[in-house]
Structure formats: C-alpha cells, structure tokens
Amino acid sequence: MSQDLLSIPCTTLSGERKTFGELAGKATLVVNTASQCGFTPQYKGLEQLWQRYRERGLVVLGFPCNQFGHQEPGSARDISQFCELNFGVSFPLLGKVEVNGGGAHPLFVELKQRAPGLLGSQRIKWNFTKFLIGTDGQVQRFSPLVKPQALEARIEALLG
C-alpha cells in the first residue's frame, strides 16, 4: 500500500484508533460490507481469500456500511458476532463507515479517486464493492457482482 494511503486514520470495530501503517508492503483488499444484503454470503469468500493468502502478504479489510438500504443497522458487537457466527470471519473488520457523500471515510474518498467506477463515476453503488490495492498503491475496483474467488488470479499476480 502506498505511503499516503498508509497515513489515513481508521477505527477498528472494537473502537481502537490506528492508521494503515502496518500494511506497508502488503496487498490489501478493501470491501464495504453489510450483514443484511443479498451479497452478504460473500463474507465466506472473503474469509477464504484471507485464509489462503494472508501468509503471502494479503490483508482483507471489511468496512461495515449502512448507506445502502440500511443493511448494516447493528452495533459493532452485533456486526462482529454476526460475521463470526455465520461466516467464520477472522479478517479485520473496521468500524462502520460511510463510503459516499460528505461523511465518506477518507480511505474510500481516495480509493474512489484512484479507481473510479463505470464511466468515471466515483460513487460506490452498493455493498461489497471491492478495491484491490497493490503494494505500489495501484488500485483495482470491482463491483459487488464480482465474487471474491474471481479475484484470485489478480491476487496471485500482486503477491508474485
């Protein structure tokens, strides 16, 4: 992940403030998530990517977001329990964020600028939009329709 992305502050689901500095030299998959979405089963595929590639340098980060159909209404504890019990999620989940509008988290503002969507749109259209960030800061964007498993070849290429 590039230096400017590494300095962006975030809050973990447990409320701890940190930056992404610990991700230096790693490939990172950032996903805006939700517990009550038609794409919620993708948590399983995200966990599989985390388990398969984390030792080789991939970090998967889930950012719960309630901006789309109010599909993430729960508290941090609710989200954590839901993800762990239903999908065995062990990859890092960050605090609930907004990804669009004036309250958008700075990470998503930067990711949308680096990897705009269809026709140059910077708006994220729904939950489970994915951003794959190389160690060089290059960002690839994938729609919610792209299942986590479909990213394996790109992840392999980033990890070498």
Side-chain angles (χ1 to χ4, degrees):
M1 194 181 280
S2 71
Q3 188 57 42
D4 55 341
L5 288 175
L6 295 176
S7 65
I8 295 174
C10 66
T11 304
T12 65
L13 203 55
S14 62
E16 181 184 352
R17 300 267 309 152
K18 54 182 8 183
T19 66
F20 296 103
E22 65 192 44
L23 303 180
K26 298 185 182 230
T28 307
L29 180 61
V30 173
V31 185
N32 64 305
T33 61
S35 299
Q36 299 176 11
C37 175
F39 296 113
T40 299
Q42 287 189 22
Y43 270 125
K44 182 177 181 183
L46 294 169
E47 178 65 20
Q48 289 170 341
L49 291 177
W50 168 245
Q51 292 297 329
R52 182 168 183 188
Y53 294 107
R54 69 180 179 182
E55 295 298 322
R56 292 180 52 200
L58 176 71
V59 177
V60 176
L61 298 174
F63 285 82
C65 179
N66 196 38
Q67 280 190 297
F68 304 102
H70 303 288
Q71 295 179 343
E72 189 59 274
S75 68
R77 182 182 168 139
D78 294 337
I79 294 165
S80 179
Q81 288 179 340
F82 174 85
C83 291
E84 186 177 332
L85 292 173
N86 292 291
F87 299 100
V89 168
S90 65
F91 61 84
L93 293 171
L94 286 295
K96 200 183 296 189
V97 298
E98 292 184 5
V99 297
N100 290 323
H105 189 280
L107 177 64
F108 283 90
V109 171
E110 182 66 24
L111 293 174
K112 293 184 301 182
Q113 288 174 355
R114 291 184 186 209
L118 191 62
L119 301 176
S121 170
Q122 290 200 8
R123 184 168 178 72
I124 291 176
K125 300 208 178 6
W126 206 255
N127 300 308
F128 290 89
T129 296
K130 299 157 199 72
F131 293 91
L132 184 58
I133 309 162
T135 57
D136 60 359
Q138 294 296 311
V139 180
Q140 301 171 64
R141 181 176 179 160
F142 303 92
S143 87
L145 296 172
V146 175
K147 294 182 178 174
Q149 302 86 315
L151 302 178
E152 286 196 46
R154 292 177 190 259
I155 291 168
E156 286 280 354
L158 288 176
L159 299 178

